[in-house]
């Protein structure tokens, strides 16, 4: 029995290496996905679902001058007859070919219903609520559809075109991105003016150099505009795309600087167009809202209901635009790999029938135009040959009718024939007609024969002969005819460019401003505002506040010391700090997570972060002091305040770079806060009265609340609002103040 089963198993399977089977199966599947789903054709620039949608629309009887149909009906036609891969992908492709913000040249009309708003992130309504039809540009793809090669659809019930071939190289028309299994492709879109001009020049000058073509094709074009950034790498990448089929381009939005029309803000930047990769929704609802909450900017979006972008951005300094806004409008990129499906005509050796084999290629500009020209020439040759044959059929019919009206007695003999034999004798022997011509005469009604006018028929014959001669001429001069087609397309559908190339964008001049740096009490996050004074937005419950113009040194929450500039901190982050030293500060005084006061010298310049705490300690509070400062006051046990002089700090210092020094405290005493004290600062108690102590030595100065008041101060009022006051204003409004953050004893730039 065992041998019987073994024999049956050997008869019913073939041994094959598992890895080899996977490789073959996946390779076949990948090629199927590429050819039938994801990669556009070099001839018409369409993926199969797009081609089938356009053809199905035409096949349903839709025309540019006709009425619209429900998108659900079109989707059903496409899925049921040509593309059985799900209605979702079909409807999505129709919407993209309809929306003016996703396709540079739409192939369908956006007529009725909600087709969404791609820039705002809104998707289209369900297909049962929307209607569309093919438009004039889409109709160009089917202008000579009767001469296109056809093949059976997926179930053999109908025929569908193998490709479409409009009067221009459609592969260059709209941007296309296709991702398959192990294979992907993408190609940029262009204006019809550039496409037609470049194609005409290449047809007239087959040996044209790449440089000549670059001057005409110019560069990519996108429906939402944008600007191809002006630097050498971009120019080289653009050349690679057209000569090698691969390259990465960097884009930016376009903007202009305008006088502010809002008295609450000083400067205004207006965004006129976005670049590929940007949407109004992601820009305004994401990043801009964060800046608005920080009080850095305001914005107004006037883009709603329009295909154009119009966003006004407001700030109180040019630096806000330079540091926070403009970087979000730049350096978007597109990587192109112009992979396409090419078709090779072959003859089936068994049946003798013509068919097309598919292959994947990486197209260049010249190759794309060359392949389109070859297929367009073949299509027009077949079209004119068919037209000439049809016209010749019309010609001999007209000539037969002309003989009947001009040769005396023919109609009478036909009427007098009483038997089929007599009639056949008149038509075949007397008139000399062949069988097809005789059958045609018999189909003409007698009344029609009598009413025929020789003059009208002669005009018809002349018109047919003219059409035949013109068709024969066009068939013999295809290049001239194709160039004339290109000119007609350019004249009728060409429009101005939306995407600018290598344009220098207006940049606001950088200002020397005061950067207000505050540390939030809740999470130690650092807030940098370059529009000082900052109107108090988001600055409540502040642990620390300083004003800087240029260099800053952060005492980060995790125990490091980092050198930067205030401007750089605006652009990069987020930061979490215990305090900040500015400009000429040379000692950083810190309170660590053990509530111990430490300090270290700040090098004049350092390129790497330095540790402020041993091991993995964190920081609670920190401040920097200069050589002219008197020292710091230290909050002890949450209430008492002690003074640590600058003289003693320097006395304790032994090594200025690599060692820590500690302010020796009683074991029962712990520190929570340090505040710098300059020679001109007032140190006062909770009643605003000066505190007297020895500034030359360490000393316990108070067991109650202590405030430091400078020439300029940020204060927290009892109402919770933030205000900025000089020394006089602080003491005059003392009863309304909860907290004081001294900002320095120098004139701040306004």
């Amino acid at each position: 029995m065992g041998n019987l089963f073994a024999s049956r198993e050997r008869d019913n399977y073939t041994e094959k290496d598992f890895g080899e089977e996977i490789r073959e199966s996946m390779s076949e599947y990948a090629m199927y996905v590429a050819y039938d789903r994801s990669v556009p054709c070099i001839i018409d620039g369409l993926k199969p679902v797009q081609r089938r949608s356009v053809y199905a629309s035409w096949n349903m009887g839709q025309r540019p001058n006709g009425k619209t149909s429900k998108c659900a009906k079109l989707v059903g036609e496409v899925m049921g007859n040509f593309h059985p891969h799900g209605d979702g992908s079909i409807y999505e492709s129709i919407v993209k070919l309809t929306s003016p913000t996703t396709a540079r040249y739409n192939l369908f009309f956006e007529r009725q219903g909600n087709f969404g708003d791609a820039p705002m992130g809104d998707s289209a309504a369900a297909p049962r609520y929307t209607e569309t039809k093919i438009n004039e540009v889409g109709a160009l793809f089917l202008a000579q559809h009767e001469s296109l090669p056809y093949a059976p659809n997926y179930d053999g019930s109908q025929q569908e075109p193998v490709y479409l071939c409009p009067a221009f190289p459609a592969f260059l028309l709209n941007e296309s991105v296709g991702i398959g299994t192990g294979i992907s492709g993408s190609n940029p879109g262009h204006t019809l003016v550039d496409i037609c001009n470049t194609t005409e020049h290449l047809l007239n000058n087959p040996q044209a150099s790449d440089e000549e073509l670059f001057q005409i094709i110019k560069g990519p074009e996108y429906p939402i505009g944008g600007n191809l950034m002006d630097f050498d790498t971009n120019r080289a990448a653009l050349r690679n795309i057209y000569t090698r089929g691969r390259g990465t381009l960097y884009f930016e939005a376009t903007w202009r600087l305008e006088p502010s029309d809002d008295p609450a803000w000083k400067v205004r930047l207006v965004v006129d167009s976005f670049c590929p990769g940007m949407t109004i929704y992601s820009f305004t609802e994401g990043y801009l809202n964060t800046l608005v909450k920080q009080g850095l900017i305001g914005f107004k979006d006037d883009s709603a209901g329009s295909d154009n972008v119009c966003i006004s951005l407001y700030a109180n300094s040019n630096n806000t635009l330079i540091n926070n806004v403009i970087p979000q409008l730049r350096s978007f990129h597109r990587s192109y790999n112009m992979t396409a499906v090419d078709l090779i005509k072959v003859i089936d050796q068994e049946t003798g029938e013509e068919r097309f084999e598919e292959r994947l290629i990486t197209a260049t500009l010249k190759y794309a135009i060359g392949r389109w020209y070859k297929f367009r020439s073949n299509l027009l040759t077949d079209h004119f040959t068919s037209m000439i044959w049809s016209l010749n059929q019309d010609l001999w019919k007209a000539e037969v009718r002309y003989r009947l009206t001009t040769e005396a007695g023919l109609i009478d003999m036909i009427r007098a024939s009483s038997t089929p034999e007599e009639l056949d004798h008149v038509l075949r022997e007397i008139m000399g007609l062949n069988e097809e011509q005789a059958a045609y005469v018999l189909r003409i009604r007698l009344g029609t024969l009598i009413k025929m006018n020789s003059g009208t028929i002669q005009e018809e014959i002349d018109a047919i002969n003219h059409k035949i001669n013109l068709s024969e001429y066009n068939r013999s001069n295809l290049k001239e005819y194709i160039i004339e087609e290109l000119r007609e397309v350019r004249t009728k559908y060409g429009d101005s460019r939306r995407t600018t190339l290598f344009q220098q964008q207006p940049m606001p001049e950088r200002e020397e401003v005061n950067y207000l740096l505050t540390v939030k009490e809740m999470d130690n996050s650092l807030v940098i505002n370059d529009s000082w004074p900052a109107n108090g937005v988001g600055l409540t419950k502040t642990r620390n506040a300083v004003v800087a113009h240029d260099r800053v040194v952060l005492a980060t929450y995790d125990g490091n010391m980092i050198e930067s500039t205030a401007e750089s901190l605006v652009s990069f982050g987020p930061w979490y700090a215990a305090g900040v030293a500015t400009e000429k500060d040379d000692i950083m005084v810190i309170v660590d997570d053990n509530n111990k006061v430490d300090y270290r010298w700040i090098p004049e310049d350092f390129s790497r972060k330095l540790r402020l705490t041993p091991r993995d300690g964190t920081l609670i509070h920190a401040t920097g002091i200069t050589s002219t400062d008197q020292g710091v006051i230290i909050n002890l046990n949450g209430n008492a305040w002690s003074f640590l002089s600058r003289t003693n700090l320097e006395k304790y210092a032994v090594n200025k770079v690599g060692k820590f020094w500690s302010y020796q405290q009683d074991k029962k005493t712990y520190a929570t806060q340090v505040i710098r004290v300059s020679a001109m600062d007032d140190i006062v108690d909770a009643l605003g009265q000066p505190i007297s102590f020895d500034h030359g030595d360490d000393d316990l100065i108070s067991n109650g609340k202590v405030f430091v008041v400078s020439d300029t101060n940020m204060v927290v009022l009892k109402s919770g609002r933030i205000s900025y006051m000089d020394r006089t204003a602080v003491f005059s409004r003392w009863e309304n103040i909860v907290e004081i953050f001294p900002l320095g004893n120098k004139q701040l730039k306004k």
Side-chain angles (χ1 to χ4, degrees):
M1 183 65 70
N3 291 336
L4 177 60
F5 284 133
S7 175
R8 287 177 178 174
E9 288 176 359
R10 282 194 299 270
D11 291 340
N12 291 324
Y13 75 87
T14 302
E15 290 187 359
K16 191 170 185 179
D17 181 71
F18 179 76
E20 181 182 352
E21 177 66 23
I22 291 296
R23 282 192 297 271
E24 289 182 2
S25 299
M26 287 304 297
S27 176
E28 291 178 3
Y29 175 72
M31 297 308 292
Y32 165 75
V33 171
Y35 293 146
D36 205 54
R37 302 285 291 277
S38 62
V39 180
C41 178
I42 190 76
I43 307 166
D44 56 21
L46 301 176
K47 299 178 184 179
V49 65
Q50 296 171 327
R51 183 183 308 111
R52 289 162 177 166
S53 297
V54 171
Y55 178 69
S57 172
W58 187 272
N59 204 39
M60 288 168 55
Q62 288 188 349
R63 298 296 183 269
N65 58 354
K67 65 178 184 178
T68 59
S69 300
K70 287 286 187 182
C71 287
K73 182 178 180 181
L74 177 57
V75 169
E77 177 78 10
V78 177
M79 184 169 64
N81 294 326
F82 306 112
H83 196 80
H85 298 297
D87 57 340
S89 62
I90 298 171
Y91 185 49
E92 181 183 0
S93 72
I94 294 172
V95 170
K96 288 183 177 179
L97 290 176
T98 301
S99 171
T101 58
T102 55
R104 179 60 177 86
Y105 294 95
N106 306 128
L107 305 188
F108 290 99
F109 277 113
E110 183 178 357
R111 281 296 184 184
Q112 298 181 18
N114 177 15
F115 279 87
D117 190 345
M120 293 301 296
D122 298 333
S123 58
R128 62 182 178 274
Y129 300 121
T130 56
E131 296 184 14
T132 189
K133 64 178 178 178
I134 196 169
N135 65 11
E136 287 91 345
V137 177
L140 291 176
F141 284 73
L142 290 152
Q144 291 88 20
H145 64 93
E146 70 283 346
S147 299
L148 289 168
Y150 285 77
N153 65 344
Y154 69 94
D155 63 358
S157 62
Q158 292 191 39
Q159 296 284 306
E160 63 175 314
V162 178
Y163 59 83
L164 306 179
C165 194
F168 56 89
F171 181 72
L172 303 172
L173 184 65
N174 287 322
E175 183 186 34
S176 177
V177 178
I179 302 175
T181 304
I183 299 170
S184 64
S186 57
N187 57 282
H190 300 82
T191 68
L192 269 172
V193 173
D194 289 351
I195 293 172
C196 294
N197 287 342
T198 305
T199 304
E200 180 179 349
H201 183 80
L202 188 58
L203 294 184
N204 287 327
N205 305 275
Q207 303 304 318
S209 67
D210 292 331
E211 296 300 328
E212 291 180 62
L213 298 182
F214 296 162
Q215 295 299 317
I216 304 173
I217 193 70
K218 297 183 180 68
E221 169 76 353
Y222 297 94
I224 56 176
N227 177 56
L228 186 59
M229 297 179 71
D230 185 18
F231 50 83
D232 292 340
T233 305
N234 243 6
R235 295 177 185 272
L238 186 60
R239 179 183 180 86
N240 283 340
I241 288 172
Y242 291 139
T243 58
R244 300 173 59 188
R246 293 184 176 90
T248 299
L249 299 176
Y250 288 85
F251 296 87
E252 61 187 356
T254 60
W255 63 83
R256 52 193 161 89
L257 301 175
E258 296 284 348
S260 177
D261 57 358
D262 187 336
W265 303 94
K266 297 177 182 177
V267 293
R268 176 187 178 206
L269 181 146
V270 181
V271 181
D272 291 317
S273 73
F274 280 172
C275 58
M278 294 182 68
T279 65
I280 294 175
Y281 179 81
S282 63
F283 184 62
T284 59
E285 299 300 320
Y287 182 72
L288 286 190
N289 267 346
T290 302
L291 298 180
V292 170
K293 291 176 182 178
Q294 294 176 2
L296 294 177
I297 69 164
F299 76 88
K300 180 174 64 175
D301 182 9
D302 296 321
S303 308
S306 171
D307 296 332
N308 300 318
V309 176
C310 184
I311 299 176
S312 294
L313 303 167
Y314 300 90
N316 276 328
S317 84
N318 288 344
N319 293 23
T320 301
L321 299 179
I322 295 171
N323 297 328
N324 298 86
V325 176
I326 291 179
Q328 301 301 316
L329 300 172
R330 313 189 79 176
S331 297
F332 289 83
H333 69 276
R334 278 282 199 270
S335 295
Y336 291 110
N337 179 14
M338 293 172 64
T339 301
V341 174
D342 200 357
L343 301 175
I344 307 299
K345 184 182 292 187
V346 297
I347 306 298
D348 193 302
Q349 298 298 323
E350 296 182 0
T351 64
E353 296 179 353
E354 290 185 351
R355 59 183 176 85
F356 289 94
E357 287 188 352
E358 298 168 316
R359 66 173 182 175
L360 289 176
I361 54 94
T362 299
T364 63
L365 177 61
K366 286 185 176 180
Y367 187 87
I369 294 176
R371 292 300 289 171
W372 165 83
Y373 178 66
K374 177 178 180 180
F375 281 88
R376 183 66 182 168
S377 299
N378 292 340
L379 174 67
L380 290 176
T381 298
D382 294 343
H383 171 70
F384 287 126
T385 299
S386 175
M387 181 180 291
I388 291 169
W389 180 87
S390 179
L391 288 170
N392 279 321
Q393 294 296 305
D394 294 339
L395 179 61
W396 67 253
K397 292 176 182 178
E399 289 174 342
V400 168
R401 295 198 306 274
Y402 183 78
R403 288 184 61 190
L404 291 173
T405 59
T406 56
E407 295 183 19
L410 287 180
I411 295 179
D412 292 336
M413 283 188 287
I414 294 173
R415 294 177 65 184
S417 300
S418 58
T419 63
E421 290 77 10
E422 291 180 2
L423 182 59
D424 186 67
H425 174 74
V426 173
L427 298 176
R428 303 292 295 273
E429 300 297 332
I430 298 177
M431 294 188 65
L433 303 182
N434 59 30
E435 183 177 351
E436 184 180 9
Q437 293 169 335
Y440 169 70
V441 173
L442 293 176
R443 290 196 300 270
I444 301 176
R445 297 178 64 179
L446 184 59
T448 303
L449 281 173
I450 296 173
K451 295 179 182 179
M452 283 192 290
N453 181 279
S454 61
T456 303
I457 297 175
Q458 183 60 55
E459 291 176 359
E460 181 182 353
I461 292 173
D462 293 340
I464 294 173
N465 278 319
H466 175 73
K467 291 180 180 178
I468 291 174
N469 293 334
L470 182 60
S471 297
E472 289 177 342
Y473 177 84
N474 289 335
R475 186 172 61 178
S476 302
N477 299 272
L478 286 178
K479 186 174 79 171
E480 181 181 331
Y481 181 83
I482 289 174
I483 290 175
E484 187 59 34
E485 280 187 319
L486 290 168
R487 292 172 179 171
E488 290 179 5
V489 169
R490 179 183 60 206
T491 301
K492 190 171 183 179
Y493 303 105
D495 55 2
S496 58
R497 173 175 283 278
R498 299 178 188 175
T499 301
T500 57
L501 304 173
F502 310 117
Q503 176 178 290
Q504 291 290 337
Q505 299 276 54
M507 292 294 292
E509 294 184 6
R510 187 171 295 281
E511 305 174 46
E512 185 178 356
V513 299
N514 303 303
Y515 291 88
L516 178 66
L517 292 84
T518 58
V519 177
K520 287 187 176 181
E521 185 177 297
M522 179 177 64
D523 59 359
N524 284 81
S525 60
L526 183 68
V527 178
I528 307 116
N529 195 307
D530 60 354
S531 302
W532 190 90
N535 303 322
V537 179
L539 299 178
T540 56
K541 296 185 179 179
T542 298
R543 178 188 296 273
N544 202 350
V546 298
V547 171
H549 302 305
D550 189 12
R551 180 184 189 241
V552 294
V553 177
L554 292 187
T556 64
Y557 173 75
D558 57 0
N560 290 308
M561 187 162 64
I562 299 175
E563 181 184 39
S564 184
T565 63
E567 180 182 319
S568 298
L569 293 178
V570 172
S571 303
F572 301 97
W575 302 99
Y576 297 90
V580 184
T582 65
E583 294 158 351
K584 296 183 179 180
D585 292 346
D586 59 353
I587 293 178
M588 182 75 78
V589 185
I590 64 173
V591 177
D592 63 20
D593 54 354
N594 293 316
N595 297 101
K596 182 177 67 173
V597 178
D598 285 334
Y599 41 93
R600 75 170 298 162
W601 290 92
I602 302 174
E604 291 184 1
D605 184 29
F606 58 99
S607 58
R608 61 183 179 86
K609 62 184 179 181
L610 303 175
R611 287 297 298 178
L612 282 172
T613 59
R615 300 178 299 277
D616 296 323
T618 58
L619 297 180
I620 296 175
H621 204 255
T623 188
I625 63 173
T626 69
S627 59
T628 59
D629 287 332
Q630 289 189 334
V632 295
I633 59 172
I634 306 168
N635 184 213
L636 302 174
N637 299 339
N639 188 34
W641 292 81
S642 179
F643 177 74
L644 176 61
S645 70
R646 167 82 189 200
T647 302
N648 281 338
L649 282 172
E650 294 180 353
K651 185 190 305 180
Y652 299 148
V654 177
N655 186 320
K656 291 191 176 184
V657 177
K659 198 171 182 179
F660 291 87
W661 310 273
S662 295
Y663 172 57
Q664 302 300 321
Q665 306 170 61
D666 185 273
K667 291 183 179 180
K668 298 180 181 179
T669 303
Y670 59 89
T672 58
Q673 186 179 10
V674 290
I675 302 175
R676 78 163 75 204
V677 179
S678 74
M680 299 181 64
D681 287 343
D682 292 323
I683 301 178
V684 298
D685 60 20
L687 299 177
Q689 299 300 316
I691 297 175
S692 179
F693 62 94
D694 182 2
H695 290 72
D697 200 358
D698 303 345
D699 190 14
L700 181 67
I701 61 174
S702 175
N703 282 319
K705 181 65 175 176
V706 171
F707 296 98
V708 178
V709 183
S710 294
D711 286 344
T712 305
N713 308 272
M714 186 180 81
V715 301
V716 181
L717 303 176
K718 289 182 178 180
S719 63
R721 295 183 60 190
I722 299 294
S723 184
Y724 299 89
M725 299 182 183
D726 59 18
R727 192 188 308 266
T728 302
V730 167
F731 288 115
S732 67
R733 299 185 59 185
W734 188 263
E735 298 298 327
N736 296 321
I737 295 174
V738 176
E739 188 64 81
I740 302 174
F741 297 94
L743 297 178
N745 295 301
K746 53 190 173 182
Q747 184 65 39
L748 297 175
K749 299 179 178 63
K750 297 297 184 181

